[in-house]
Amino acid sequence: MTGNRRSAAWFGETGRAGMIYRSWMRNQGFGPEVFDGRPVIGIATSASELAPCNAHLDRVAEAVKRGVWQAGGFPLVFPTMATGETLMRPTAMLYRNLMAMEVEELIRANPLDGVVLLSGCDKTTPAMLMAAASVDIPAVMVTGGPMLNGKYRGEDVGSGTHVWKFEAELKAGRMTQEECFFAEGCMARSNGHCMTMGTASTMACMAEALGMQLPGSATWPAVDARRFEIAQDAGRRIVAMVDEELRPSGILTREAFENAIRVNAAIGGSTNAIIHLLAIAGRAGVRLSMDDFDVPARAVPTLVNLMPSGKFLMEDFCYAGGLPVVMRRLAEAGLLHSSAVTVTGKGAGDNVSGAECWNDEVITPMDAPFQPAGTATAVLRGNLAPGGAVIKQSAASPELLTHRGRALVFDTAEDYHAVCDDPDMDVTESDILVIRGAGPKGYPGMPEVSNVVLPAKLLKAGVTDMIRICDGRMSGTGYGTVVLHVTPESAVGGPLALVRTGDEITLDVPSRSLTLHVDDAELDRRRAQWTAPEPVSASGYTWLYTTHVLQADEGADFDFLRGKRGHAVPRDSH
C-alpha cells in the first residue's frame, strides 16, 4: 500500500483500525483490491431536485466515476447541500458560506486524496471553490452546463433576462398572465443552469479561467453528450493530479485571479463574480481588492455578444468555440498570464493555443469587439460608497452613466414594490431609486433585488431604464443602470442609511464616482440620529451569518473562514 496518501491513514492501517474502515466500505460490494493504495477520489455532488440547475448532476457524477476507474483510482460519490437560487428564501447567498463550510469539512474528515467538485447554480460553484482552496487537496471543478436556448414565438429567449423583460411587459399591459405562463415553459426546456451570461454561466467561466476546470468545459450544454465526456476526462485527470501533487494552492495564484478578472470583462460577466472571486481569493490567501476588478479590466473589450448585454445565448457561445477562444484572443493581445498553471498541469496559454472561432458574431475579434475596452464592470467610490460600489456598464444605458437626479428612498425592496404600481406615484424618469436594507447583514444575505422593475406609470409611458442604487446584488441575467454592492451597507450605518428622499445624487461612471450632495455637517447630524436595525435573529444559522459575515468588498465570507486550514488527517477515534 502507498503510505503517503491521505487515504492510507484509513485504508492502509493494520489491525482493528484498518479493518473497521475497510469492512464497512465492503458492504457496498467493493473488493479488497480497491484498498491497494490507489488514489481515493471524492466526487462532491450538489445534485438536488430543490436546485433545478443541479438536478442532473448525478448523471455527471457517473461519468466522472468512469474516468476515475479508467485511471486506476477509487471513486466515491458524496452529497453536499445545494444552494439553488431559483427556490431558496430569502436568498441562496445567505447559504453560500454554509455550503462552503460543509464541503470543506466533508473533504477534510474523509479518506480522500483528491476531489472532483460538481456544481450548477450560482452559489454552488464559488462555495465549492472556496472549500477546495481552504482544504488544499487536488481538486477539479466540473460545472453542470447551461440549458438549451429558450424558444418563444420564433425567437430565442434567455432564462432570467426574459423574466425581467416579461415582467415589464406584463406591468405595461403589453403581455397577459396567460402568455407569461406559456413563455415560462419555453424558457427552461432542458436540464442545466441559466443559458444567459448570468452568474451561473459566469462562475463556470471563472472556474475555467482560474484554471480549476478543464479547458472548454464551462460552455457545453447540460444535455450535450460532450458534457459527460469532459466529466469523464476530469475523472481521469484528478487521479494524475494526485500523483503530481497539484493542489489549488499551485493554481489559485494572483495571476490566475487577474486572468479571471480580464476574462469576466471579455465575456460581459456578472457583477456577482466580483463578490465570489473576492471570497475565493480570501480563502486562497491571495490579496485582492475591489479596485483590482476595475483597473486590469479597462484595457479589455467585451468580446462575447450574449444576453443580457447582447443577443446570443450560451449554446451559441459553445458552438462558436467557447471560452478557449476568448482566452486565446486575450493571450495574443498580451492580456492573459499565459504561464499560469491550470488543472491540466499546463499553462493557461498552452491550453488555448489551438482554439478556433466558428462564429465571429458571437465571439467578436479584438479589433472589432462587441463593446469597446473600458465598458466592463466599473468600481465606483465617493461619499456614498467609501468602501466601493459596482456597475455593469455593458448592461446599462450609456446616457445614464453620467447623471444627477433626485433620490427617491426606500428602506426595503418590499417598501418599493408596495407602491411602484401606483399610477399617482411621485416619480420621474430622471429620479434615482435608492433601495437599502439589502446588504449582507441587513436582509440578511445580500439578495438579488437591486434591479427593481421600474414604476408602472413610467413603463406605460415608454421609459425603459432609470438609475437604481442599492447595497444588494442583482442577478447576472439582469440589466439596467443599477449601482450595486454599495459598501458599507445601510444596516451597519453606511452612508446609504443617511440618504433621504429629495437629496441629490450624481452618478459619474467615467470618473468612477458616486456622490451624495449633502454637506458633512448635515450627514453628521443624520448619523447621530440613526439607530441600527434590530438583529434579524438571535439564534441559529442566521445569527451566525449576521454576526460574522464580512462586507461586500471582502467577498461577504465569514470572518473566521478566511485563509487555508489545510488537509491534515483528523485524529482517529477507533
Side-chain angles (χ1 to χ4, degrees), residues 235-368:
R236 287 196 295 267
R237 179 59 195 150
I238 189 62
V239 175
M241 288 174 65
V242 171
D243 290 334
E244 296 164 11
E245 296 190 355
L246 179 54
R247 306 180 187 277
S249 55
I251 298 171
L252 294 174
T253 61
R254 170 76 189 194
E255 290 73 22
F257 283 97
E258 289 183 359
N259 283 349
I261 289 166
R262 292 191 174 110
V263 167
N264 192 50
I267 64 176
S270 168
T271 51
N272 290 307
I274 296 174
I275 210 163
H276 296 316
L277 289 173
L278 285 168
I280 298 164
R283 298 297 189 94
V286 173
R287 293 179 64 87
L288 207 63
S289 72
M290 289 275 284
D291 292 332
D292 290 321
F293 290 85
D294 193 325
V295 177
R298 290 196 191 190
V300 180
T302 304
L303 299 180
V304 181
N305 180 4
L306 254 66
M307 296 181 196
S309 301
K311 70 176 184 178
F312 294 104
L313 294 166
M314 287 293 288
E315 196 177 347
D316 308 303
F317 183 29
C318 176
Y319 304 151
L323 197 68
V325 173
V326 175
M327 294 182 69
R328 179 181 179 178
R329 288 180 172 173
L330 292 178
E332 291 173 345
L335 294 170
L336 193 80
H337 295 291
S338 293
S339 61
V341 176
T342 71
V343 291
T344 66
K346 302 175 183 178
D350 290 337
N351 288 340
V352 302
S353 60
E356 295 187 63
C357 183
W358 307 109
N359 190 331
D360 280 338
E361 189 181 3
V362 178
I363 310 174
T364 58
M366 291 290 290
D367 58 0

Side-chain angles (χ1 to χ4, degrees), residues 43-46 56-57 60-61 63-64 115-120 124-125 128-129 139-145 204 207 212-214 217-218 226-235:
I43 303 172
T45 174
S46 55
H56 65 298
L57 290 179
V60 180
V64 176
V115 64
V116 179
L117 309 165
L118 307 187
S119 68
T124 54
T125 299
M128 286 183 160
L129 289 174
V140 177
M141 172 67 70
V142 178
T143 49
M212 289 295 294
Q213 181 159 220
L214 290 177
S217 58
R226 287 160 290 190
R227 167 62 51 196
F228 303 99
E229 183 179 324
I230 208 159
Q232 184 170 300
D233 290 343

